[in-house]
Amino acid sequence: MNLRQLRYVVATADHGTMTAAAQALFVAQPALSRAIRELERELGVELFARAGRGVALTDSGEQIVRYARDALRAVDAIEAFSAAPAGARPGELRVASTSTLEPELTARLLPEFAREQPAARIRVVRCDGRESAGAAVRDGRADLALTDLPVPGDLAAHPLEQREIVLISPPGLNLREPVPQSALEGLRLVMPARGSARRTELDGVLSRIGVTPIPAVESNERGAWLTWVRAGVGSLMWYRNQIETVEGLAVRSFMPPITTTIGLVHTRRPLPPVAREFLAFAKSRG
C-alpha cells in the first residue's frame, strides 16, 4: 500500500469514474485502474462496483476511503508544514461550491485569500447544488461549502451577502418597472432543465412567491439562455451580479425584490485552522 494508491482511490470516489479521476490527477487512466486493482488484491476487498457508466463505492470501499482521507490529510499537513515559511500556519483549505457560485469563489475570494495566506493549499470541490455541497462537508470531502441558504440545522451557516434576482426580457415585452411578482404567473420563461440543481432552486423561489410561469425552454445550456431571450422565446430569471452581456435586452427588478442569501456552511465540528481563517476572511469581505 502507498500514498499514490490512496490518492487514486479518493479521487475515483470523488469523481465517480476512473477516467475523470485520472484526468483530474493528470495520470493515465490504465495506470490509475491498475494501481487500484493492486490495492484491492492487497487488501482482499473490492473497493468499487460498476454503476451505470461510472463506479460506486462498496461498503468496504466507503470505510477505506474514510481512512484514506484521514491519512492523506495528515500527510498533506506534514508536507505543508515542512514547506511553509517561518511564522506561516500551513494547511489545506477544501471549499465546496455549487456550480452557480463557483466562478465567484475562484475569481474573487480564493485568489485574495491565497495572496494573504501563501502557505495554504487550496482545493475546490465542485457540486451540483445545495444538497450536494452540504453532503461534501458532511462526509469530509470539504471543510466549508459556499452555497445558497438556508441549509438543514445540522450544519452551521454564516451568511455572507444577499443576491438580487432580476428579470431579463426581450425589449418588446410590455411589463411595468419594477415588475410585480404576480406578473410571473403564466409568463413564458427560459428555465434550467427539470431535475437539475439550478431548476430545484428556481422552483423553490417560485413556490415561495406563489406563482407558476410557463416553461418556454428547459435547458442547462447556460450559454444559450440569453440567445433564446433575444429570440423572443421567453424571459429569464437570474442573478443581477452574474449577468453578462445583455445589450438590447430589458433588465428589471421585482417589487417586492426577490433575493437569495449565500453563505459558507460547515459541520458543527471544530474547523481546521486554515478553514477558520478563510471563514473569517470571507465574512470580512461579505
Side-chain angles (χ1 to χ4, degrees), residues 181-222:
Q181 293 182 0
S182 58
L184 288 168
E185 181 67 35
L187 186 69
R188 293 175 60 83
L189 288 185
V190 175
M191 305 178 75
R194 293 180 187 272
S196 67
R198 287 172 176 162
R199 179 59 177 271
T200 299
E201 292 173 6
L202 178 58
D203 285 344
V205 171
L206 295 171
S207 177
R208 289 196 298 272
I209 297 171
V211 294
T212 305
I214 297 173
V217 175
E218 297 175 292
S219 171
N220 289 330
E221 295 181 33
R222 180 176 171 182

Side-chain angles (χ1 to χ4, degrees), residues 26-82:
F26 301 99
V27 299
Q29 190 269 333
L32 180 140
S33 300
R34 186 167 54 252
I36 291 177
R37 286 197 301 271
E38 290 173 355
L39 180 60
E40 287 178 323
R41 283 196 296 269
E42 181 179 348
L43 297 176
V45 297
E46 184 181 26
L47 301 177
F48 296 98
R50 288 200 171 276
R53 296 184 178 180
V55 293
L57 286 167
T58 63
D59 291 342
S60 297
E62 290 182 356
Q63 289 182 297
I64 296 299
V65 166
R66 282 198 295 270
Y67 296 145
R69 291 190 197 281
D70 291 340
L72 292 174
R73 278 197 290 269
V75 170
D76 287 343
I78 293 170
E79 290 177 346
F81 183 85
S82 64

Side-chain angles (χ1 to χ4, degrees), residues 69-176:
R69 291 190 197 281
D70 291 340
L72 292 174
R73 278 197 290 269
V75 170
D76 287 343
I78 293 170
E79 290 177 346
F81 183 85
S82 64
R89 281 179 282 182
E92 181 186 47
L93 172 66
R94 301 165 305 146
V95 185
S97 176
T98 61
S99 55
T100 301
L101 297 175
E102 183 183 346
E104 299 177 31
L105 180 68
T106 56
R108 183 171 65 92
L109 284 175
L110 290 181
E112 291 181 14
F113 181 73
R115 285 193 290 270
E116 291 193 7
Q117 298 289 340
R121 300 172 60 180
I122 299 173
R123 182 159 65 91
V124 176
V125 179
R126 296 180 176 88
C127 300
D128 290 335
R130 177 167 41 193
E131 289 75 16
S132 178
V137 294
R138 287 188 185 95
D139 64 22
R141 286 181 290 126
D143 306 303
L144 297 161
L146 181 66
T147 184
D148 297 284
L149 302 180
V151 291
D154 65 316
L155 297 176
H158 303 267
L160 295 182
E161 58 184 83
Q162 283 193 326
R163 301 291 171 88
E164 181 189 12
I165 296 176
V166 295
L167 186 70
I168 309 170
S169 305
L173 189 63
N174 185 20
L175 288 172
R176 287 168 50 189

Side-chain angles (χ1 to χ4, degrees), residues 168-174 228-236 248-250 252:
I168 309 170
S169 305
L173 189 63
N174 185 20
W228 284 314
V229 176
R230 287 192 173 90
V233 174
S235 300
L236 172 70
L249 300 177
R252 299 179 174 94

